[in-house]
Amino acid sequence: MSHQRIASRVTGVSAHVAEHAMTVEQVEARVVASSDGFTPPTGVLGRLTGVRRIHHAGAGTQASDLAAAAGWRTLHHLGLEPADVDLLVFASASQDLVEPATAHIVADLLGARCPVMDVKNACNSWLNGVQVAEALIGTGVYQRVLVVTGEMPSRAARWSVRDAAQFVESVPGYTMSDAGAAGLVERAESGARGEILHRWFGAESRHWSVGQLPAGGTRHPRDLDKTYFVMDGTRLRQAFDSVDVEEIHRALKADGLGVEDFAAVAVHQVAMPYLDVFAGRLGLRRDLVVETLPDHGNCASATLPLQWQQIEQRDLARPGDPVLLVGLAGGISVGTMAVRW
């Protein structure tokens, strides 16, 4: 016997970057001041990535604080209380502690007493959190799921650099921003604003070693030198180039959609040159892609909700238009989700 899918929608999406802004010139100057004789080429970060500015939170701020602040905004905007939430999902590359789940800390900050869980998949974490929420709503387990993220990559940036090779592998840490975001996933009638129209996820996990933050797990439980981001940018691009974009097109087509149908597109962004390449490979109209990287840096899993918020604030889509979210993450993971605006 076939069962009709229970429709879900995403609503009340909010995002914010941390309060302290740094230009990439200031970032480079901090590397020089913290290193023993190493000086990166002037302006190299901007040339490589297109980033102009990043955001760092204060020393007393945690990933859970950024997530809880966004959660409060989402609930307030929707006229809801924490007691109205059936499940809280903390979906982030960052975490306060290895144990317990950071979702517990966020729930405590919000005063929520619902079940909680963490979802982690690098920069696709928030999108995967929405995926999990939709699936649980679809089975009738929950009615409302609050999906939050709190990203604090600033804590893993290496400021004291030994040489050019170490600087190059540390570049991701210099272009990432601390940020928080939240969105409510709830049961909805078909045709509702925010309705999830499409979802597809894939992975090329043979490339897992391309980018890492190694410390804290069983491989490197106490090695301080493993507490910094390391990434091979050339291998990362090769890994994303290995993604079969025709799979994305086939998945969209199965849901009655094509890349030409979208009024606006949110894409996770690591470097502006590669954003151009990836948009071209996927056949996206470049003027429809919302840019956040130059002024806000790589906000990890808060990137897509930040772009969602910009689509809303700038009226880039009309009610009823389909909007596409494209997630790209270390691992390597890819995901697409389409919603009705």
Side-chain angles (χ1 to χ4, degrees):
M1 187 170 86
S2 63
H3 295 276
Q4 187 173 355
R5 175 187 289 271
I6 297 173
S8 295
R9 68 172 185 162
V10 186
T11 186
V13 174
S14 64
H16 62 104
V17 291
E19 63 275 10
H20 177 56
M22 299 172 64
T23 66
V24 288
E25 291 80 13
Q26 290 172 318
V27 170
E28 290 173 4
R30 181 171 174 181
V31 171
V32 172
S34 303
S35 302
D36 185 15
F38 173 74
T39 301
T42 302
V44 66
L45 291 176
R47 290 194 302 273
L48 284 175
T49 67
V51 175
R52 295 189 290 261
R53 184 175 64 171
I54 63 170
H55 302 264
H56 283 183
T61 302
Q62 306 301 330
S64 56
D65 295 318
L66 295 171
W72 270 119
R73 273 197 293 276
T74 288
L75 293 174
H76 177 75
H77 174 73
L78 296 172
L80 298 174
E81 298 292 335
D84 297 316
V85 175
D86 301 321
L87 173 71
L88 187 146
V89 177
F90 178 79
S92 179
S94 303
Q95 58 190 25
D96 283 21
L97 308 164
V98 174
E99 287 289 346
T102 303
H104 285 292
I105 304 174
V106 177
D108 184 43
L109 289 169
L110 292 175
R113 299 193 64 194
C114 59
V116 304
M117 69 171 75
D118 280 7
V119 169
K120 177 183 284 293
N121 189 19
C123 295
N124 276 356
S125 296
W126 187 82
L127 199 63
N128 285 131
V130 173
Q131 176 194 18
V132 169
E134 185 198 16
L136 290 170
I137 290 169
T139 59
V141 177
Y142 299 114
Q143 299 284 324
R144 290 192 180 114
V145 181
L146 184 65
V147 183
V148 301
T149 182
E151 294 287 15
M152 292 206 64
S154 64
R155 299 284 164 85
R158 184 192 291 274
W159 297 107
S160 179
V161 176
R162 180 179 59 248
D163 52 27
Q166 190 173 65
F167 176 77
V168 169
E169 72 176 14
S170 303
V171 162
Y174 307 134
T175 59
M176 298 186 75
S177 287
D178 300 339
L184 189 77
V185 186
E186 63 181 357
R187 184 169 181 165
E189 297 296 325
S190 179
R193 183 176 184 187
E195 179 187 3
I196 299 173
L197 304 172
H198 155 86
R199 82 290 300 147
W200 172 85
F201 293 87
E204 296 289 346
S205 297
R206 66 186 183 276
H207 300 298
W208 71 266
S209 64
V210 169
Q212 301 176 45
L213 178 52
T218 58
R219 289 175 183 256
H220 306 285
R222 296 174 186 85
D223 187 339
L224 290 178
D225 196 52
K226 302 295 186 182
T227 59
Y228 303 104
F229 281 116
V230 290
M231 185 173 289
D232 186 326
T234 300
R235 287 180 60 208
L236 179 69
R237 176 164 177 169
Q238 292 170 347
F240 280 128
D241 284 345
S242 74
V243 173
D244 182 4
V245 295
E246 289 307 313
E247 283 193 69
I248 298 175
H249 288 291
R250 286 192 292 270
L252 285 167
K253 185 177 180 181
D255 287 319
L257 295 165
V259 293
E260 69 281 355
D261 295 324
F262 296 102
V265 182
V267 182
H268 182 69
Q269 297 163 20
V270 176
M272 293 304 291
Y274 188 70
L275 177 61
D276 295 335
V277 170
F278 184 79
R281 287 187 64 214
L282 197 52
L284 298 171
R285 266 184 54 191
R286 187 63 179 80
D287 61 306
L288 299 183
V289 177
V290 181
E291 294 182 6
T292 50
L293 187 71
D295 289 330
H296 300 298
N298 177 355
C299 296
S301 70
T303 297
L304 295 183
L306 179 64
Q307 292 173 6
W308 177 306
Q309 185 170 269
Q310 293 210 358
I311 293 169
E312 200 163 52
Q313 291 173 346
R314 293 159 56 189
D315 291 324
L316 299 180
R318 295 171 298 184
D321 285 342
V323 167
L324 181 65
L325 311 179
V326 182
L328 304 169
I332 295 293
S333 291
V334 183
T336 56
M337 185 171 287
V339 300
R340 187 190 313 278
W341 206 248

